[in-house]
Amino acid sequence: MIETYDEALSFIHGRTQFKKIPTLKRMRRFLAELGNPQEGLNYIHVTGTNGKGSTVAMMRSALLESGLTVGSFTSPFITRFNERIEYNNIPISDEDLLRMVQKIAPIVKKLDVELATGGPTEFEIDTAIMFCYMAEKKPDVVLLEVGIGGLYDSTNVIKPVVSVITTVGWDHMKYLGNTISKIATQKAGIIKTKVPVVIGNLPEEARTTIRKDAQKKSSPVFELDEDFSVRKLNGHHLHSKVQYQGKKIKALEVTLGLLGEYQVENAAIALMTIELFMTKMGLSIDRRALIEGLEHTSWPGRLEEVNTTPLVLLDGAHNLPGIQALVKTIKKDFADREVYLLVAILADKQYELMLGELASLGNVHLTVTHFAGPGPKRPSADLGAAVDSIPTKYPVQVVNDWQLGIGQVASQMSEEDVMIITGSLYFISDVRKLFLN
């Protein structure tokens, strides 16, 4: 019997993470046993290699400012599991989480016995908890972030009001395929018949795949730089001031609360999605609420400032496209400053290519380190061995203990310099506790 919050978490985390054959049949059966809690709610469904979390955070903030009640489901968490399931920006309480686990545990046990492949995975259980919680709370809208891919993701059992594909790049190739086209096919799996889809700036191969899929399903596509646009109005500023042009919203100017170059496009995607959602729901669009919402958005671990002098930023860039976006920000906003990077990356990522991108910058001082990783099956990569073959302007430092690494890097910096700690959201989660305790 599960009687405490800790037992509930152990139950969730004790489940298998993946099954050999991807399918939604098990998830549909699981939800049917629970009385289909996912039905009867309005969803915005978001996938993408990067940018999902930031786009959801901006939409949540702007929709709350617009007077709506908002549920959200995001991953991974930075500090506590509860952050993944939120209602009106407040994480699910320990009591509610325990209650939801107590509700679903007997069903999981039953399916373990009845299904040939065994019962639900960890993420399917997370998703079911969220659906049960949202069925009780009944928010005006649920912002639903995909776990991995889209087509076979356990969130893909709903018909949303709007679908969103932020970016398509290299990540999770073991599960999604080893070409951009294959990865895009998985992401396009969230597109539903006649449901509009908002897409960001995608590689041509991904764009073609997604447009074809949308055409087959008679789903209107709203593409960045084709149907809506954004431009940055201030040059080398971490807080980007942008002007957005949409369908109904014209020349909306806002200074973004989230730092970094890559948030400019995420903001445009968030605004276009809100336009479509509000229009489809017959709700009026309040420009002031959108501006307030985007100005006050916060999202832990995404170029998050944890120290001012010298400036220390945490960035959860955890794959090649994420690191490329960070490189763009460093080039644009820190070209005139020395940047000290402390990097740790999981061994199942393209860590050599990621390090190569960071090392290519002339003003970067690179220190690589190690952290515990989320579990024994996903260790931190040995970056010390990887950096030997990477050409850099300054010698790369290797420090095995990341806490010592922070101290060592800090001792080399002046007040004008910048420290960025990056490479993995799990790493950032550990570091954040140190800075914010």
Side-chain angles (χ1 to χ4, degrees):
M1 187 62 189
I2 298 162
E3 289 178 352
T4 66
Y5 170 76
D6 287 338
E7 285 169 1
L9 280 190
S10 297
F11 169 77
I12 294 166
H13 296 322
R15 299 296 297 183
T16 179
Q17 288 194 313
F18 296 103
K19 304 271 188 183
K20 276 187 178 154
I21 299 163
T23 176
L24 283 176
K25 276 184 188 168
R26 184 176 49 251
M27 189 67 200
R28 291 192 197 282
R29 168 79 190 278
F30 187 18
L31 291 172
E33 295 273 355
L34 289 164
N36 285 317
Q38 77 281 12
E39 289 178 357
L41 291 169
N42 300 311
Y43 297 95
I44 293 173
H45 204 184
V46 185
T47 189
T49 304
N50 289 308
K52 297 186 293 291
S54 301
T55 303
V56 165
M58 286 191 252
M59 288 195 287
R60 178 170 54 209
S61 189
L63 289 165
L64 283 168
E65 282 289 345
S66 301
L68 301 187
T69 53
V70 183
S72 59
F73 183 53
T74 55
S75 59
F77 61 91
I78 297 291
T79 313
R80 293 186 87 226
F81 176 86
N82 306 46
E83 294 161 26
R84 299 183 70 165
I85 301 166
E86 294 194 348
Y87 175 76
N88 285 351
N89 226 356
I90 298 164
I92 185 172
S93 68
D94 293 0
E95 296 74 23
D96 281 336
L97 184 71
L98 172 59
R99 196 164 50 80
M100 295 297 147
V101 170
Q102 288 168 337
K103 180 179 179 173
I104 68 166
I107 308 287
V108 172
K109 210 171 179 181
K110 180 183 179 207
L111 295 179
D112 276 341
V113 174
E114 290 181 9
L115 297 177
T117 56
T121 63
E122 181 177 344
F123 191 70
E124 286 167 345
I125 287 169
D126 298 344
T127 308
I129 292 168
M130 175 272 303
F131 280 135
C132 289
Y133 184 63
M134 295 306 164
E136 283 188 6
K137 289 291 187 186
K138 294 189 171 48
D140 297 322
V141 57
V142 179
L143 306 174
L144 204 53
E145 186 190 309
V146 161
I148 290 178
L151 185 59
Y152 295 112
D153 189 78
S154 61
T155 60
N156 201 25
V157 290
I158 47 103
K159 185 162 183 176
V161 180
V162 189
S163 304
V164 183
I165 303 171
T166 55
T167 55
V168 176
W170 300 106
D171 201 13
H172 300 297
M173 281 94 82
K174 184 179 169 188
Y175 304 106
L176 304 182
N178 55 4
T179 68
I180 286 291
S181 183
K182 282 179 185 170
I183 294 170
T185 300
Q186 292 291 323
K187 309 278 185 209
I190 72 162
I191 302 171
K192 303 293 189 301
T193 304
K194 294 186 176 169
V195 171
V197 56
V198 178
I199 64 175
N201 265 329
L202 307 181
E204 195 49 48
E205 219 180 317
R207 185 174 176 258
T208 306
T209 302
I210 286 162
R211 279 192 162 278
K212 264 188 201 161
D213 193 285
Q215 204 173 357
K216 268 187 218 158
K217 295 170 183 167
S218 308
S219 304
V221 177
F222 294 83
E223 186 178 350
L224 182 59
D225 293 334
E226 291 276 330
D227 305 282
F228 62 104
S229 64
V230 66
R231 63 191 180 96
K232 187 168 174 175
L233 300 175
N234 54 351
H236 302 307
H237 283 270
L238 262 183
H239 280 285
S240 301
K241 184 178 185 182
V242 303
Q243 186 184 74
Y244 166 80
Q245 292 282 358
K247 289 291 179 196
K248 292 192 168 185
I249 304 169
K250 304 293 180 193
L252 182 93
E253 290 188 9
V254 55
T255 301
L256 303 179
L258 295 183
L259 303 180
E261 210 56 36
Y262 52 87
Q263 300 299 3
V264 173
E265 292 186 1
N266 292 338
I269 292 166
L271 287 168
M272 185 69 244
T273 306
I274 290 169
E275 274 197 69
L276 291 169
F277 178 81
M278 300 297 259
T279 304
K280 281 195 85 174
M281 299 305 292
L283 299 166
S284 59
I285 298 167
D286 179 350
R287 284 173 74 96
R288 186 73 238 143
L290 300 184
I291 292 166
E292 290 283 321
L294 265 62
E295 282 181 351
H296 296 126
T297 305
S298 61
W299 189 229
R302 275 65 170 193
L303 268 186
E304 179 184 15
E305 186 179 324
V306 289
N307 196 68
T308 311
T309 312
L311 182 61
V312 179
L313 301 168
L314 308 184
D315 192 62
H318 58 282
N319 51 30
L320 185 57
I323 289 291
Q324 286 165 337
L326 176 60
V327 165
K328 202 170 156 190
T329 294
I330 294 170
K331 279 181 178 170
K332 202 104 184 221
D333 299 325
F334 298 125
D336 56 344
R337 293 162 86 167
E338 294 300 301
V339 178
Y340 288 79
L341 291 175
L342 181 68
V343 184
I345 304 170
L346 289 176
D348 59 7
K349 299 289 180 177
Q350 295 170 296
Y351 55 87
E352 282 157 331
L353 293 173
M354 291 161 75
L355 287 172
E357 291 279 341
L358 295 170
S360 70
L361 297 168
N363 61 334
V364 155
H365 305 255
L366 198 54
T367 300
V368 296
T369 189
H370 192 272
F371 73 111
K377 288 184 180 173
R378 297 193 74 197
S380 177
D382 176 8
L383 301 183
V387 291
D388 287 346
S389 57
I390 295 170
T392 57
K393 183 175 175 185
Y394 301 103
V396 178
Q397 298 182 67
V398 182
V399 185
N400 276 331
D401 182 321
W402 63 261
Q403 287 171 304
L404 289 177
I406 290 172
Q408 198 169 308
V409 171
S411 69
Q412 298 163 19
M413 295 170 65
S414 74
E415 285 191 355
E416 295 77 47
D417 299 338
V418 184
M419 185 195 300
I420 302 175
I421 302 170
T422 190
S424 162
L425 276 166
Y426 294 103
F427 175 42
I428 292 308
S429 175
D430 290 350
V431 175
R432 200 169 180 270
K433 287 168 197 158
L434 179 78
F435 274 94
L436 300 180
N437 270 354

